[in-house]
Amino acid sequence: MQDVDIPTERDTEPYSGRDRAQDRGHRRPRVGHIQFLNCVPIYWGLARTGALLDLDLTKDTPERLSDALVNGDLDISPITCVEYLRNADQLVVMPDIAVGSDGPVLSCVIVSQVPLDQLDGRRVALGSTSRTSVRLAQLLLAEQYGVQPDYYTCPPDLSLMMQEADAAVLIGDAALRASLHEAPRLGLAVHDLGDMWKQWTGLPFVFAVWAARRDFLEREPETVQEVHRAFLDSRDLSMEEVDKVAEQAARWESFDAELLRRYYAEALDFSFGDRQLDGLREFARRIGASTEHVRLLEPLLEPLLAAPELLG
C-alpha cells in the first residue's frame, strides 16, 4: 500500500526549542494518524494551519492506533468504534469529527463469489485492519442474511483471498482497489457495508471516532481543546479545498483525482453529531455493548477549564 505522506514533526527541521509545548514546559501531545486515504482530509490542513508542529504524530493502522490509545502510548487518537465502546470508561470522544458514512462508503466492503445468503459455513477472509468493520460485517451477515460463515484472518490481497475463501471483508485503500479495480476484473460482487447498515437501520454508521484519554484530559484540558480545534480547522480547510486535496492524493495512488474528490465530498462523513451518536448507540445495542460511559468532550471540558482545582 502506498501511503499518502502527511509530514510529521520528525519530517521537518528542528523547532529549536521555540514550540509551544517546550515553552509551556511539557511535551507535545502524542496523536494518532490513520494511514489510509480516508483520513487525509482530517490531517491535510494541519500543515496549512500551522498546527502540525504542535503534534507528535504516529501513523499506523486503525487497529494498532486503537491499542496504543487504550494502552496509554497515545494521548489522543482515532479509535475504531468497537474498541472505543470496550474502553469508554478510559476515553472521551471529541464531538463533530469522525470517519463514517450516511450510505455507501466505498472503502468498507464484503466482496463475494456467491450470494451473501449462501455463506453459511463457508470460508470468509477477514483482511480488515479495523475491528469495527469486521464486527459490522459479521453482524450484518448474521442478522440480515442468517448465516454464520467460517471466518479467518489474512493479508488484504483480494486475488489470494479468493483462492481460499468465498468472500472477503476489506477496508481502506485495499477495499477501494478491490471495489473499483479488482472485483470487476474478477467478476465478483461488491457489497458496501455503509450502504447495508443504512438500508437496515436508516442511520449513519461511524467507523472511527477521535478520542482523548481521560487521564490526559484531566492533566491537559487546554491542550485537548487545542488539538480538537486543530482537527476541526484542518478538516474544514480540506473540505473547502477538496479538489486540491484529491489532486495531491491522486499523485501517489491508483485512483484518479475525480474519484477521490467524490470519495471525500460525497461518500465519507467526517462529522459527529446527534445522528452519528444515534448510529453509534444503535450499533452498540445490536452487538450487546454498553453505552454507559459514552461521553463527549465539551460537557466534560467546561468544568475542568472553569475550575482548575477539579484537576486535583
Side-chain angles (χ1 to χ4, degrees):
M1 178 179 68
Q2 175 85 46
D3 296 337
V4 175
D5 189 26
I6 304 293
T8 70
E9 50 103 9
R10 286 175 291 276
D11 299 322
T12 63
E13 295 181 0
Y15 208 26
S16 303
R18 296 177 59 187
D19 60 292
R20 284 186 295 167
Q22 290 181 353
D23 288 344
R24 293 184 304 193
H26 56 78
R27 59 171 172 76
R28 293 182 177 101
R30 302 167 299 170
V31 177
H33 169 19
I34 294 176
Q35 62 184 13
F36 293 158
L37 278 166
N38 61 7
C39 282
V40 168
I42 304 292
Y43 295 86
W44 182 85
L46 292 175
R48 294 280 301 278
T49 63
L52 182 63
L53 289 173
D54 292 324
L55 308 177
D56 180 7
L57 285 181
T58 296
K59 292 170 61 175
D60 217 322
T61 64
E63 186 176 59
R64 290 177 179 170
L65 291 178
S66 297
D67 289 342
L69 183 64
V70 170
N71 294 335
D73 296 322
L74 292 172
D75 305 311
I76 298 168
S77 181
I79 181 170
T80 65
C81 284
V82 162
E83 288 307 304
Y84 167 67
L85 290 169
R86 288 174 179 165
N87 298 280
D89 59 328
Q90 302 178 46
L91 305 170
V92 179
V93 173
M94 293 182 167
D96 200 30
I97 187 165
V99 174
S101 71
D102 197 5
V105 68
L106 302 182
S107 55
C108 296
V109 299
I110 303 173
V111 180
S112 183
Q113 302 188 60
V114 300
L116 297 184
D117 60 6
Q118 296 180 19
L119 286 175
D120 196 46
R122 302 175 84 159
R123 301 257 288 169
V124 171
L126 304 176
S128 168
T129 54
S130 166
R131 295 167 187 143
T132 295
S133 298
V134 165
R135 189 66 186 89
L136 176 60
Q138 293 171 332
L139 176 68
L140 289 164
L141 289 175
E143 299 296 329
Q144 286 282 280
Y145 294 91
V147 297
Q148 293 293 338
D150 175 17
Y151 295 106
Y152 71 100
T153 302
C154 66
D157 183 318
L158 185 64
S159 296
L160 295 177
M161 296 163 96
M162 290 297 101
Q163 293 178 18
E164 306 214 359
D166 293 291
V169 178
L170 292 160
I171 74 158
D173 301 1
L176 280 176
R177 286 193 297 272
S179 300
L180 300 170
H181 302 321
E182 298 164 347
R185 176 172 54 82
L186 296 172
L188 303 173
V190 177
H191 308 272
D192 189 295
L193 293 176
D195 189 41
M196 293 167 71
W197 171 262
K198 179 64 180 291
Q199 295 297 323
W200 188 24
T201 67
L203 293 167
F205 192 82
V206 179
F207 293 93
V209 297
W210 266 250
R213 289 188 56 84
R214 287 177 186 256
D215 53 5
F216 184 73
L217 173 64
E218 291 170 358
R219 293 195 310 271
E220 302 266 5
E222 292 182 352
T223 299
V224 173
Q225 187 179 46
E226 289 171 3
V227 173
H228 180 220
R229 173 47 55 192
F231 276 130
L232 295 181
D233 290 345
S234 175
R235 187 267 319 271
D236 292 348
L237 178 61
S238 295
M239 299 314 294
E240 289 171 7
E241 301 187 20
V242 67
D243 290 345
K244 184 181 295 184
V245 175
E247 288 170 5
Q248 292 185 356
R251 294 175 189 171
W252 308 105
E253 298 295 332
S254 58
F255 314 108
D256 63 43
E258 175 55 24
L259 170 72
L260 292 178
R261 187 203 65 78
R262 288 190 287 110
Y263 180 48
Y264 295 142
E266 301 172 18
L268 292 171
D269 178 12
F270 297 112
S271 63
F272 189 77
D274 291 340
R275 291 192 70 247
Q276 289 77 18
L277 185 58
D278 288 343
L280 175 62
R281 291 183 184 277
E282 180 64 13
F283 177 62
R285 185 186 71 79
R286 291 180 184 267
I287 66 173
S290 171
T291 59
E292 176 186 359
H293 297 290
V294 172
R295 298 290 185 274
L296 294 181
L297 171 67
E298 288 176 345
L300 292 182
L301 193 58
E302 291 172 3
L304 293 176
L305 292 173
E309 67 272 11
L310 293 178
L311 303 180

